[in-house]
Amino acid sequence: MMTVLTNLLDLDPAQLVAYCGDLGEKPFRAKQLQRWIHQFGARSFDEMTDLAKSLREKLATRAMIAAPAVMSDHTSTDGTRKWLVDVGQGNAVETVFIPEENRGTLCISTQAGCAVNCRFCSTGKQGFNRNLSVGEIIGQLWMAEFELRKTKGIAPGPKGERQITNVVMMGMGEPLLNFEPTVTALRLMLDDNAYGLSRRRVTLSTSGVVPMIDKLSQECPVALAVSLHASNDALRDSLIPLNKKHPLKELMAACKRYLEFAPRDFVTFEYCMLDGVNDTDAHARELIELVRDVPCKFNLIPFNPFPESGLKRSANPRIKAFAQILLDAGLVTTTRKTRGDDIDAACGQLAGEVQDRTRVQERMQKMAEYQKKFGENFGKIVEITQ
Ligand code: SAH
Ligand code: SF4
């Protein structure tokens, strides 16, 4: 009989304790196991020298540690490193490491494709393919941390110099539409026996799935970034279809509610600068009004164009003038540098390499099958009752 091996990367701390319990092991074994996996990057049970040989043998027949396979690995001239990670059935997602002077940020993906279909995003243009599992989400951090250490010759282990100090969920996909696996992965990022990152150093970016923003505030409030991109509903409706379901008034109220639980006392609003679309002085002034009573910071993102979007990046002087209006109103505003342009790792260009428009048809068909199987709301934006 074939036994299905349990991928231990799929289990959060509590689940690993339960798993060890099923094997007749004490909870502290789960902690040891977790440290081996997430702090030492162990791939096999043989390496886990402080576990009894009988337990290692038992684990080897029932479990595995399997991160998604790396398909390609590129480093940009500015040090940005991008991995293309295989998530099966011809799908790949991207993980990007952005080194800065005092920190290293990893940008991870939560879905293959995305159902939100924002006008300016190439991921959205691919359509939704599927949700990533916990192992595929945390596996990106696991793979990246230990690959980076290997490149630099830094030993694994909790005392080794940590390469990834910050995580942003800003890669492919809408994390709040893959809620449970995303939250489980977040718990592992924060756990002291795994990555031990503080909640302030982990940021989730969302296009504004209001009910799930509330749910996140209850289950795992990390730093929140909201992709705003527009100063009024008509404009936002045209850029982010989800806005029709959760308009700006609701979104602003959700941000305020979130801040009661958040590790930071502000929300970061991301604003993609689109030439002639959302970048006039009038838009800036409208924004100031919109966020009047939401403690926030602005991060302006120069649009990364891709051919089918029909959109253009605002010119630099326009971005500067726009930022100045926000700054003059007392809003902390930064402009994101585009990094990794030469390896297609800039925002919204993720998946450039795997994008194959002939597959959209196939994905749509798959989506229809899933909807038949799991109900017509599968992959759609639906209200989640709590
Ligand atoms: N789905 C989530 C997180 C992934 S997108 C969200 O939308 O927030 C991460 C960020 O990249 C978002 O702020 C998104 O609006 C931005 N983005 C998407 N496409 C872009 C593009 N072509 N140029 C610049 N930023 C883009
Ligand atoms: Fe999805 Fe975010 Fe892209 Fe919109 S910007 S399509 S929500 S990944």
Side-chain angles (χ1 to χ4, degrees), residues 114-118 120-121 123-125 171-174 207 227 229 240:
C114 182
V116 181
N117 197 16
C118 300
F120 48 82
C121 176
T123 302
K125 293 287 158 282
M172 292 171 76
E174 169 48 59
S207 54
S227 294
H229 308 318
I240 307 175

Side-chain angles (χ1 to χ4, degrees), residues 57-119:
E57 282 168 0
K58 205 179 331 174
L59 284 167
T61 60
R62 298 164 194 232
M64 61 181 177
I65 301 154
V70 172
M71 292 165 72
S72 72
D73 176 352
H74 294 289
T75 303
S76 158
T77 47
D78 65 15
T80 303
R81 184 164 172 183
K82 180 179 87 166
W83 294 272
L84 195 62
V85 159
D86 185 4
V87 292
Q89 296 160 339
N91 292 295
V93 295
E94 281 166 334
T95 307
V96 180
F97 176 69
I98 305 149
E100 280 167 302
E101 207 164 316
N102 299 319
R103 61 182 181 190
T105 304
L106 191 72
C107 175
I108 63 176
S109 298
T110 53
Q111 297 182 311
C114 182
V116 181
N117 197 16
C118 300
R119 223 172 95 200

